[in-house]
Amino acid sequence: MKLTVDDLAILGGRPAFAEKLYVGRPNIGDRTRLLVRLNDILDTRWLTNGGPYVESFEGRITELTGVKHCIATCNATVALEIAIRALGLVGEVLIPSFTFVATAHALQWQQIRPVFCDIDPKTHCMDPRSVEAMITPRTTGIIGVHLWGRACYVNALTEIAARHKLTLLFDAAHAFGCSDRGRMIGSFGEAEVFSFHATKFVNSLEGGAVVTNNNALARKLRLMRNFGFTGYDKVNYVGTNGKMTEVCAAVGLTSLEALNEIVEVNRRNYEVYRENLDVLPGVSVIEYDPTEHNNYHYIVAEIDPASAPLNRDELLAILLNENVLARRYFWPGCHRMEPYRTLYPNSHLFLPQTERVAAQVMSLPTGQTITPEIIRAICDIIRAAFENAGEIRKILEEKTAV
Ligand code: T4K
């Protein structure tokens, strides 16, 4: 389908897509197998609290990542919270600002200050030089984030953590099924945290997990996930209710069975996007290293305002009008969100690359519901918008002036 500017809804036409195209549309595994599992759960009436489906889900995660222990949780935010608590982090912890706000909230929730570090604009991951520069006597840990599923600077962060005697944890919410120098993500640092939220390529409706090779830590995490109970009527820690339900585990197991299929679809989509977007002025799709395992879950396009005819936000407005709900993850950066911008008003002074990248990045729809034809049509909209940038900009300016 070749669009002309007349087809662009912002100029009066009908949206190119009759139905909304979402980033994060859930992938669904084999329904028949899922329904068998759900019936079994209902028949046995074991719904949560250490049931067999959670146990097998945890077993599959350990097999796939090669990590000794998996503690499945109700979501990754709670997984981060209990990992942070079990590791004894206090005071200040270094994290990137360019991440989903849950990374910061998991610290602030327990009165630990997230100290925001800048990113390397090439990888969008926390820059080890910024990490080193932000260490103070109050720093107790570092949380590296494998953004978009691409491993962050694991070696450099491990070395910095060891030299400064800091605890290293990874937020691997995006990175299930990905590797770093051939080793599956999950076994780096003291522990790593995965998300299996509905919008992730493998999902358990809501869900997360902490994985670790540390036996004592694993035991502590299991207790903390279940109120700190060490036996009937006996509590040893301040715990929470972080348990995954049997239904979530059944969805997760079914989703894991489709893992290779979903990755294949994501990889195909990624290649079609690259083919069609990388040729446009000022547009580049972030690269995944083909020598690593990748889940290709995020299609992230960078729009360089210096060379693209329209900027990121102008393109988003066009796409939205065409029913393409692209997202500007992770704009404007945690440091510009409350409570952080009030609590730590000077953070932006240390985050020039974060500010620049956050203003240029958009995430595009992919997953099982998105076909190469849809992607070509989305890319055609962007091309047509660029070709008519002058006219479009005028209309957008008039709209915002009203
Ligand atoms: N660390 C990092 C680095 C993370 O990215 C995340 C979560 C976490 C930690 C915490 O993990 P969890 O505690 O959530 O397990 C979404 C997800 O809710 C969130 O899990 C994810 N990262 C983040 C990047 O994306 P929103 O605010 O964008 O969600 P929402 O509701 O706008 O959904 C995104 C799109 O997906 C929508 O446009 C519609 C579509 N959608 C969504 C759902 C839930 C569907 O089509 N069907 C659905 O059922 O955060």
Side-chain angles (χ1 to χ4, degrees), residues 2-3 26 61 72 82 116 149 161 171 186 203 250 267 282 327 345 376 381 388 397:
K2 177 76 184 151
L3 291 173
I61 302 293
I82 60 173
F116 299 118
D171 178 338
N203 84 84
R267 195 186 54 77
R327 297 287 298 260
R376 287 190 197 100
I381 292 169
N388 297 277
E397 276 166 7

Side-chain angles (χ1 to χ4, degrees), residues 23 30 69 71 114 150 237 259 262 281 284 303 314 346 368:
V23 171
D30 185 324
H69 305 283
I71 296 91
R150 300 190 297 186
Y237 296 103
L259 185 145
I262 301 168
S284 52
I303 318 297
E314 290 164 338
N346 294 326
Q368 286 176 324

Side-chain angles (χ1 to χ4, degrees), residues 21-26 74-78 80 99-103 145-147 171-174 193-200 206-208 298 325 327 329-330:
L21 301 179
Y22 293 106
V23 171
R25 199 84 178 139
C74 51
N75 58 55
T77 306
V78 167
L80 280 169
T99 177
F100 190 59
V101 74
T103 321
V145 179
H146 305 299
L147 207 80
D171 178 338
H174 301 177
V193 168
F194 294 123
S195 171
F196 300 107
H197 182 259
T199 55
K200 296 293 183 287
E206 287 275 358
Y298 287 98
L325 276 73
R327 297 287 298 260
Y329 290 138
F330 290 101

Side-chain angles (χ1 to χ4, degrees), residues 81-255:
E81 284 169 12
I82 60 173
I84 287 163
R85 195 171 187 113
L87 287 167
L89 298 182
V90 291
E92 295 179 358
V93 172
L94 308 173
I95 65 166
S97 169
F98 195 54
T99 177
F100 190 59
V101 74
T103 321
H105 282 351
L107 292 163
Q108 190 72 37
W109 188 256
Q110 30 201 345
Q111 286 78 50
I112 301 165
R113 176 179 176 166
V115 174
F116 299 118
C117 301
D118 210 1
I119 51 169
D120 176 344
K122 287 200 293 292
T123 63
H124 298 182
C125 286
M126 196 155 63
D127 184 339
R129 286 168 306 182
S130 174
V131 171
E132 187 108 43
M134 301 303 257
I135 295 172
T136 74
R138 293 176 297 284
T139 310
T140 59
I142 302 172
I143 304 181
V145 179
H146 305 299
L147 207 80
W148 317 129
R150 300 190 297 186
C152 59
Y153 294 98
V154 172
N155 264 359
L157 295 182
T158 305
E159 189 274 317
I160 293 171
R163 191 152 37 81
H164 292 272
K165 300 196 169 31
L166 302 174
T167 299
L168 181 61
L169 172 66
F170 288 100
D171 178 338
H174 301 177
F176 182 69
C178 302
S179 66
D180 180 39
R181 288 155 295 146
R183 182 165 142 196
M184 293 311 282
I185 284 177
S187 61
F188 298 107
E190 283 300 321
E192 303 210 49
V193 168
F194 294 123
S195 171
F196 300 107
H197 182 259
T199 55
K200 296 293 183 287
F201 86 110
V202 164
N203 84 84
S204 61
L205 306 179
E206 287 275 358
V210 191
V211 287
T212 180
N213 283 319
N214 179 327
N215 299 343
L217 179 65
R219 183 176 140 73
K220 203 165 174 183
L221 289 163
R222 282 188 199 288
L223 299 178
M224 279 188 170
R225 172 182 66 173
N226 188 26
F227 310 100
F229 275 114
T230 49
Y232 279 128
D233 313 322
K234 192 162 175 246
V235 168
N236 276 24
Y237 296 103
V238 174
T240 186
N241 183 353
K243 299 185 299 296
M244 178 180 268
T245 67
E246 288 289 277
V247 167
C248 285
V251 175
L253 277 168
T254 313
S255 190

